[in-house]
Amino acid sequence: MAEDLNIVLGAKNDQYRSLIPQISSLLSGETDEIANMANVCAALKEQFDFFWVGFYMVKDNELVLGPFQGPVACTRIQKGKGVCGSSWDQEKILIVPDVDAFPGHIACSSASKSEIVIPINRNGRVIGVLDVDSKELNCFDQSDAVNLSTILELIQFKS
Ligand code: SME
């Protein structure tokens, strides 16, 4: 496809409905996971103007910062720490409507107000997480959980 996104405005589900086939097309034929993670971050940032979108990948039993869009961020997160480390530890999607109310939240930026973290499961284990932050409180819901999970399924991870 041409490397231009067609940005549709309107209801969140309509935005995902427009974006997902475009991401699918963007990733098709490309097997490099770094390239695909990078383009997923860029596409989500461009469509939704989220404050921060990025991946943390499990390396030597830590989460290490991967491709992202947004301000600089902490590079390593321990299992069970913060929203990302908790999502990895619990192996479940965490939706945090107010990060200040999440015990142990890691504030890479005070501008982030709400957050969703989706663990990436491959072959029965978590290999990383997708973290999306918003400057608005209560930005994320089940629709984001479902649609972001669908987007993650489009990335062929090595393991
Ligand atoms: N807030 C995350 C840390 C990563 S930054 O938001 C980019 C957490 O609590 O795990």
Side-chain angles (χ1 to χ4, degrees):
M1 67 173 266
E3 277 83 15
D4 279 340
L5 282 186
N6 176 32
I7 301 297
V8 167
L9 301 178
K12 181 159 66 178
N13 275 324
D14 292 338
Q15 294 189 54
Y16 277 118
R17 204 170 297 126
S18 160
L19 184 65
I20 287 172
Q22 295 187 74
I23 291 179
S24 177
S25 174
L26 191 60
L27 271 48
S28 73
E30 179 53 71
T31 57
D32 188 282
E33 63 181 27
I34 301 278
N36 286 335
M37 286 191 280
N39 259 339
V40 163
C41 293
L44 287 168
K45 176 84 172 153
E46 191 174 343
Q47 174 68 56
F48 293 103
D49 196 25
F50 291 130
F51 176 64
W52 197 90
V53 183
F55 290 87
Y56 283 92
M57 304 307 289
V58 176
K59 293 181 182 173
D60 296 330
N61 210 37
E62 282 182 314
L63 287 173
V64 181
L65 183 64
F68 71 96
Q69 293 263 322
V72 294
C74 55
T75 52
R76 288 174 188 268
I77 297 174
Q78 308 300 309
K79 194 170 192 178
K81 300 293 182 189
V83 186
C84 292
S86 298
S87 172
W88 172 24
D89 191 32
Q90 296 169 28
E91 301 192 10
K92 67 176 193 186
I93 295 172
L94 294 181
I95 296 173
V96 181
D98 177 358
V99 295
D100 290 334
F102 186 94
H105 168 254
I106 300 166
C108 292
S109 165
S110 59
S112 174
K113 299 294 180 211
S114 62
E115 181 166 358
I116 184 170
V117 179
I118 305 194
I120 302 163
N121 280 285
R122 292 293 184 276
N123 301 320
R125 65 191 178 91
V126 175
I127 60 164
V129 300
L130 173 67
D131 180 16
V132 186
D133 290 39
S134 171
K135 280 190 189 176
E136 313 294 328
L137 286 167
N138 204 18
C139 179
F140 304 104
D141 57 23
Q142 274 307 311
S143 162
D144 298 287
V146 169
N147 285 298
L148 292 172
S149 297
T150 298
I151 290 169
L152 288 175
E153 288 301 323
L154 300 173
I155 302 177
Q156 296 174 42
F157 288 98
K158 281 196 286 269
S159 51

